[in-house]
Amino acid sequence: MDTKIIRKVVDELCSENSLKSISFRTNFGTPLPSVKELSELVLLLRSAILPGYFISADHEPLDQQFYIGTILEKVSKKLKQEVLRGYCFFCETPDQCNTCKYKSSEVVENFIQTIPNIRHLISTDALAAYEGDPAARSAGEAIFCYPSIRALINHRIAHELYKLGVPLIPRIISELAHSETGIDIHPGAQIGEKFFMDHGTGIVIGETTIIGKNVRLYQGVTLGAKSFPLDANGKPIKGIARHPIVEDDVIIYAGATILGRITIGKGAVIGGNKWVTEAVPSGSKVV
Amino acid sequence: MDTKIIRKVVDELCSENSLKSISFRTNFGTPLPSVKELSELVLLLRSAILPGYFISADHEPLDQQFYIGTILEKVSKKLKQEVLRGYCFFCETPDQCNTCKYKSSEVVENFIQTIPNIRHLISTDALAAYEGDPAARSAGEAIFCYPSIRALINHRIAHELYKLGVPLIPRIISELAHSETGIDIHPGAQIGEKFFMDHGTGIVIGETTIIGKNVRLYQGVTLGAKSFPLDANGKPIKGIARHPIVEDDVIIYAGATILGRITIGKGAVIGGNKWVTEAVPSGSKVV
Amino acid sequence: MDTKIIRKVVDELCSENSLKSISFRTNFGTPLPSVKELSELVLLLRSAILPGYFISADHEPLDQQFYIGTILEKVSKKLKQEVLRGYCFFCETPDQCNTCKYKSSEVVENFIQTIPNIRHLISTDALAAYEGDPAARSAGEAIFCYPSIRALINHRIAHELYKLGVPLIPRIISELAHSETGIDIHPGAQIGEKFFMDHGTGIVIGETTIIGKNVRLYQGVTLGAKSFPLDANGKPIKGIARHPIVEDDVIIYAGATILGRITIGKGAVIGGNKWVTEAVPSGSKVV
Amino acid sequence: MDTKIIRKVVDELCSENSLKSISFRTNFGTPLPSVKELSELVLLLRSAILPGYFISADHEPLDQQFYIGTILEKVSKKLKQEVLRGYCFFCETPDQCNTCKYKSSEVVENFIQTIPNIRHLISTDALAAYEGDPAARSAGEAIFCYPSIRALINHRIAHELYKLGVPLIPRIISELAHSETGIDIHPGAQIGEKFFMDHGTGIVIGETTIIGKNVRLYQGVTLGAKSFPLDANGKPIKGIARHPIVEDDVIIYAGATILGRITIGKGAVIGGNKWVTEAVPSGSKVV
Amino acid sequence: MDTKIIRKVVDELCSENSLKSISFRTNFGTPLPSVKELSELVLLLRSAILPGYFISADHEPLDQQFYIGTILEKVSKKLKQEVLRGYCFFCETPDQCNTCKYKSSEVVENFIQTIPNIRHLISTDALAAYEGDPAARSAGEAIFCYPSIRALINHRIAHELYKLGVPLIPRIISELAHSETGIDIHPGAQIGEKFFMDHGTGIVIGETTIIGKNVRLYQGVTLGAKSFPLDANGKPIKGIARHPIVEDDVIIYAGATILGRITIGKGAVIGGNKWVTEAVPSGSKVV
Amino acid sequence: MDTKIIRKVVDELCSENSLKSISFRTNFGTPLPSVKELSELVLLLRSAILPGYFISADHEPLDQQFYIGTILEKVSKKLKQEVLRGYCFFCETPDQCNTCKYKSSEVVENFIQTIPNIRHLISTDALAAYEGDPAARSAGEAIFCYPSIRALINHRIAHELYKLGVPLIPRIISELAHSETGIDIHPGAQIGEKFFMDHGTGIVIGETTIIGKNVRLYQGVTLGAKSFPLDANGKPIKGIARHPIVEDDVIIYAGATILGRITIGKGAVIGGNKWVTEAVPSGSKVV
């Protein structure tokens, strides 16, 4: 090909205007977060939380402690780096850098301590999957076979980082699970133990959703917002509670859509393809 | 970070209680099945079934026999290893091991012989995709462009292993396709030739489904169970036929939901988003 | 395992009849297109269009020109190779080869020059995602967190190749995005700037769809065909406009299905799960 | 760093004068030979010649034929490519290209047929190593433990290509062995069966050397040229026999230097560190 | 190329006679030792013995214990596998297998406990290198810059395995160092602390050599055997002490050759290129 | 294996005394230099200096500028990192760190500008190899086939860094070439243009050696020191000129040893295996 053509295209792509249009910025020396690194981080965390299920089986450890300890050290380093990049993604002056570094260290120290609880929650999710599947022979089988578990590991990790105030990174972690499973859970969603999503593809769970214990969803269920309240300038107001509250023991069948800050009461059952925009009392069935 | 924090978390994660909660077990020396190995196994099988379409094009073989032969040898070794791990996942005593090994060898020997028939079925599926797509110029194009084909290769492989009684492994293979295509077919489903799923995302096909020849589904179709019959203890009864029978030449449009052990008669057409829980006579249209 | 069994299976798989059934052909020395190569090509293009977001962050270039230039050279070589394979996939005689080579060079030269405009369009898509997301703090965040952006980069690349008449390759590129995001856009679809698909899973957009500026779709929306007009022989007639026209500023909520060559007028809003097969006037709401 | 500095260095390195100084040329579209590819080629050949010793042990083939056949196909393709690059390295006009291609095909076809004989020769070399090593328990052990074997596989491959008139490639293959073992054998050297070099480091064997059967050398032995006869212009005359003839059953101890076209007669023994520039009669000892 | 040619060559290479000539054997199901695995094993051991110097610097461990522990677990598994392969390389009946397994386990258990002493010895070697190099600023610098250290790590590992009676594997480990450094030490050689080989290329140290403390050699030194005593059948008698004894504090300059079971007395100095076949008294100089 | 054994060994290896013995230190957060990174750095530099010869041939650049520019950016980053690690290897307090960083930047900026001259010198070395080899058909062939060229690229790079005062790193770069070629050149040696080392294995060139233009050495030549002058404390005095000066046009044949600060006069010829410790007049022959 004519070299001139490539040179011309390169010049256009490197013009300030063109770069500016895609939010290209230097972040004062800190690179952008790396989706690839975050993907490896999630794999490490999955391996610490559920040893043997995710990382190649020949790492059968003689001694869990060395194995888990080494993983957690790697997790600490990678997470600190990516959290820093997350903070710096929004930096406005190079002076902020030291604050970003300090916050990153603090976040990692706090996050690491939540891992045992994440394992506990995931173990209840695996139990829920097992109980919900007539064919499964053990909770271990459920861990291998259900996208629900993989989506929830990412979510429970992302949610802890979200609570610690980390920007950007939790959503990338959620999006990794969305791409892998077709299940789209915003990191802000609060989800109780023993949560199970059968099949899963197409499920959407919004940022301010609150889900109790022992809830089961099927594929294509949406827990969404009805509309965004706008401020005086017509901009969406941030942080307003706008997604459903789903209480303990609720079952929502495939394709149902629940919109707005309404409560689906304890033990309620929502039928397939239902469109629900008003509160549903405890124990009732919408079919 | 303070090393003490990591040590404390490691200790919690290695405590017997915590490990027990996630079904962590040693399987008497056999590691857990490896999803990564199974993923490579499926790639090898895809390459034997449809040479040139899946594995990097520069392996253009002078001589199919060497190429296919080498692949099948690798398939035999990997499959034997993973099937053994599948059996041992449920072992209760180390004594069972020899039985597991024996069964694994037998399974591989039987499975290998089904591959030519799997290719035959896939070739009819590719033909169906080609005929269903006004823009496609050859069945080869359909192989490249439709997730339906990739989901069906995995399914037809998994279904053979399911019929041979292999635990766990078939479902992992199905889940690999689910993650890749958004199509969730239980390995137990019986599917006739010339099956085509257009677009495919969100399709769910349950364990006891029976599908005839020349059937076409669109995205978001569910062939599901209405409810699980429970036994005296309130546990779901296993192995009960609970999913639809779809006869030859049926078309089911996007988003339709068919639930329960009902029969959709030969040549019937089910419209988009329909909710069907009762039998549909041959040749009729539900729109 | 008994070597005879493998030999027998190999013989069956290498028999002329079996190979013919799967469209196995030699393409006169040109290998089949490589999905792996195309996947790497898309990654390179993503990195040229949105530097820093897709390829590992330590390639922080001192000087965009070297970085972008090197990528474009690699893109030229890989694309030329794959486009050639695309043409040769349909070759009928080895004589055609020189024509295929000539056309491939021409395509690459033309395609390369469209990249700055693809970046421009993607920057408007990122802006649309940012504006549609109350929580996002910058268009850059939207690039990281929305499958919409990834699906649209693939689409806008594939669409340029489609317009240049390249066979097969554009559909493989679209299918790569479908697998990654659950969003299935045919490369023929014409899509204006500032397009946003929230959540995205299950969206299907057909070949002759025309979408205006500033349109927003939610998960599970179908823009499909009602039926294929058949010719005298009962074969679908190619190239007939059979999918919707969606004008500027339209919003279509989750799960809605729009079928046929109908027009959704400027600023119209289609509610969730709606089934629309007739034209919708500008500014109206279907709820 | 200041971008201007890099730009200035880049300009200097890309100036025509600077590039010319290092023989940078385009070869009319054919890239330079790839040392990496040649290194992989040698590994494949080693694996065909001595199955199981060089390529990772888990390729234990059920059936040698598939395994060896697949390797030879890869060898054919890689070798053809590199031999072509070798010829084109000296091309002077693009018109020569077709001749180069034709010659490359012919070379590969001829070379492939010499492999069984190369294996035969290497098996005699392994036997020689085994017999020369009081501690070795089998010829197989010798294959694993002696650099002599690795240097000779490369040499025997390179020598066949040298005899077929291939430029450049044989010397790169020899140099690969030199780097790996410290043994430097010119591809032109003629070496009989049962050749053994104990320890090997520092051995140099020149282009026109002729070595009989059952010869043994120790580390640091040089079989070199005394001087280059010059032509009328003072340039070395090519192809003149200028290195020693070493007859059957000779032993040359460590550090000895034999220079010029002299004959070391059958069964002679040359002591360590000896400097020999005149013929040595059969059966005599130089100590 | 004509497929028939490849088929013919394959047949020749797979004929029983041809395979037999290269000691091809099945080892009753155990593959041959893997040089690649052994190479990784040595890298792991180097990293345990000298943390930070050999494996990529970003594994900077927060906590040595996790890091070293994980490495030692990997070492145990890999070593056990390769030692087993070493034993089985000489197996004559499949019945021996259980003995081989038992011996492998025992070897690994014993070997692992020698690692701290290997580190101790290497630390004295590093000190010797540092003291012998006027330019070096620390023993750490010596570890990075001297092939002597790398050759000695391999040797001290191989020597422990040699003492434990492991066949084949120690020599492969020595040969790995020979290829990397040009230093050829037989695993049987006994070498005291503070050993230093300056430059190193071409050094050869034979199986029954005994070297005291604080000895220094230069490049090209040979500690070899004068001749092999033969038994009644003319076969070399195994295990006879036939290499030099080098006492403490000896220095041997470049290119010197010491042959036979002679003693170089404490503190002696042997000049460059000397040929020594008789004992040298303590404190004397041979120049 | 008994877990207790591994734990015990881990404890020993992590004890402060054991770690101290091997100079294990934390360098205040900066990891040790990485030999792997330095090896990649050298490969990049080789590719910038001699494009097409070292890095895989399919990077055939349409446009040298993008290619070289990208390489130099990577070189800058990697080199800066490793030079910093080199300085910090000798740091005594964390306060020094900023100085180390500043010096690293400065070194890289200066080094980068010497690359065009390094290419110039290497091009004269390739010419020398070509002229010295009766069989070679171009200087390009010499680049591919002579270890001399690879050793000299490393040396000329290392020498520039040595002159810039960088600790440790230059010697690691030299040792990489030593391992690859058997040629051991201290980074301090000053070497003029058109230098050629035929065969090369075993050559040793000391730190204060000065070599003129157009000098040729053969395998096994040593340019060494006779002895180290000691200071009052018996420690070697650093930086004293102690190696030979070799003037223009000298030839030194295989195995010769030249020791001490003596001058080998212009055009002198030293015969094979000679031992020279006194000055040699210009034009004379030592044979």
Side-chain angles (χ1 to χ4, degrees), chain C residues 57-67 69-70 73-74 76-77, chain F residues 57-67 69-70 73-74 76-77:
Chain C
D58 51 286
H59 290 281
E60 180 210 3
L62 287 176
D63 186 316
Q64 285 285 319
Q65 295 217 330
F66 297 145
Y67 180 71
T70 302
E73 283 172 1
K74 284 188 197 158
S76 299
K77 285 179 77 171
Chain F
D58 50 287
H59 289 282
E60 178 211 4
L62 287 175
D63 187 318
Q64 285 286 319
Q65 296 216 328
F66 297 146
Y67 180 72
T70 302
E73 282 172 2
K74 286 189 197 159
S76 300
K77 287 179 76 170

Side-chain angles (χ1 to χ4, degrees), chain F residues 14 29 69 74 86 108 157 164 228-229 231 243 271 280:
Chain F
C14 295
K74 286 189 197 159
V108 173
I157 293 165
L164 290 164
F228 304 109
D231 65 15
H243 302 96
V280 173

Side-chain angles (χ1 to χ4, degrees), chain A residues 58 60 63 66 69-70 73 77, chain E residues 58 63 66 69-70 73 77:
Chain A
D58 50 285
E60 180 209 4
D63 186 317
F66 297 145
T70 303
E73 283 172 2
K77 286 180 75 171
Chain E
D58 49 288
D63 185 318
F66 297 147
T70 302
E73 283 172 3
K77 285 179 77 172

Side-chain angles (χ1 to χ4, degrees), chain F residues 159-235:
Chain F
H159 184 60
E160 290 301 330
L161 294 170
Y162 175 92
K163 286 195 292 181
L164 290 164
V166 178
L168 194 53
I169 304 304
R171 292 192 68 187
I172 298 178
I173 291 174
S174 293
E175 186 50 33
L176 285 169
H178 184 196
S179 178
E180 182 184 353
T181 65
I183 297 170
D184 186 357
I185 311 178
H186 193 286
Q190 300 169 45
I191 300 180
E193 40 179 71
K194 283 196 79 180
F195 185 56
F196 178 47
M197 297 171 284
D198 206 356
H199 309 300
T201 314
I203 287 175
V204 172
I205 300 176
E207 180 175 15
T208 62
T209 306
I210 299 173
I211 294 176
K213 297 181 185 176
N214 200 32
V215 168
R216 193 190 312 166
L217 308 186
Y218 285 81
Q219 70 271 24
V221 165
T222 295
L223 304 178
K226 221 153 58 184
S227 64
F228 304 109
L230 304 180
D231 65 15
N233 304 317
K235 292 244 166 182

